[in-house]
Amino acid sequence: MRWNAYETGFFLRAGQRVGLLGGSFDPPHAGHVHITREALKRFQLDRVIWLVSPGNPLKPQGPAPMAERIAAARRLMSDPRVIVSGIEALAGTRHTARTLALLRHGFPGVRFVWLMGADNLAQLHRWEDWHSIMTGVPVGVLARPGSRMAARESVAASVYRGARLPERAAPRLALAAAPAWCFVNMPMIALSSTQLRAARAE
């Protein structure tokens, strides 16, 4: 599949450094904004795309309607460098590995970086075809509250220990050949969508 700007709602140029932040964004919150701004700065990215997922295969309960989550994300994230996209629904994908493969094919020459919180690195080995994520694009890991130790001792961190770049190399991550990943510490916000959903239900 070769996407165009009309189909995806965004245009990317070869050579651009583009971060990809996936999730249900149910609901989007200040923590998503914080991690995005840190990623733009620390990894020297040109753009970040929020990939609003139709649903997380690892979560038994489905999220709120996708249109509502996308609209809320766009109201929250006003930085022109950030694109909020429902491209996974367009492509019919629910797994990150497949989404990455389609994006790399659809936008040749774009330097994609997969972004994740340290909590996701800790469970990455549970994701479908997770090795192809690590070997397909560089991965930027941003520390979140309570997850640093679990991330550093995770299966993925152990298997790809030799591909880890030092934190000082973060600005060059997008230019690195995969497998390559970089763990960066950042000022943290202890906020999650799970907490917000629980508070909303009370």
Side-chain angles (χ1 to χ4, degrees):
M1 175 183 285
R2 181 64 61 86
W3 284 314
N4 58 42
Y6 175 77
E7 291 170 323
T8 62
F10 54 81
F11 176 77
L12 301 176
R13 299 189 310 274
Q16 280 187 310
R17 305 179 185 190
V18 179
L20 301 169
L21 182 65
S24 60
F25 296 93
D26 184 30
H29 54 73
H32 294 126
V33 175
H34 179 60
I35 199 173
T36 298
R37 288 177 174 160
E38 287 294 318
L40 283 162
K41 178 176 64 177
R42 301 294 293 277
F43 300 123
Q44 295 292 292
L45 302 174
D46 299 308
R47 309 293 294 269
V48 169
I49 302 175
W50 284 11
L51 296 171
V52 182
S53 172
N56 185 338
L58 296 180
K59 294 182 179 179
Q61 185 173 351
M66 191 164 181
E68 292 182 11
R69 291 180 285 130
I70 289 176
R74 287 174 175 163
R75 287 193 298 270
L76 179 68
M77 188 70 252
S78 59
D79 192 314
R81 296 172 296 174
V82 180
I83 300 164
V84 178
S85 173
I87 198 171
E88 286 192 310
L90 170 69
T93 62
R94 285 171 57 86
H95 298 285
T96 298
R98 179 62 176 156
T99 301
L100 286 176
L102 290 173
L103 284 168
R104 292 172 62 206
H105 178 73
F107 296 98
V110 173
R111 297 184 177 276
F112 288 113
V113 174
W114 181 252
L115 303 172
M116 64 170 63
D119 54 333
N120 278 326
L121 181 65
Q123 61 168 341
L124 183 62
H125 62 283
R126 298 175 56 203
W127 294 20
E128 182 171 294
D129 203 13
W130 68 277
H131 286 287
S132 72
I133 299 172
M134 294 297 295
T135 59
V137 297
V139 175
V141 183
L142 297 109
R144 296 182 64 182
S147 57
R148 292 179 181 177
M149 187 62 67
R152 289 177 175 142
E153 296 179 353
S154 67
V155 172
S158 176
V159 172
Y160 291 97
R161 181 175 290 109
R164 182 178 175 180
L165 302 179
E167 188 168 351
R168 65 179 180 274
R172 303 192 300 275
L173 177 64
L175 304 178
W181 63 285
C182 186
F183 186 103
V184 299
N185 294 294
M186 64 178 188
M188 296 183 291
I189 295 179
L191 187 65
S192 74
S193 294
T194 301
Q195 292 171 328
L196 291 176
R197 286 196 301 274
R200 191 169 54 191
E202 292 177 353

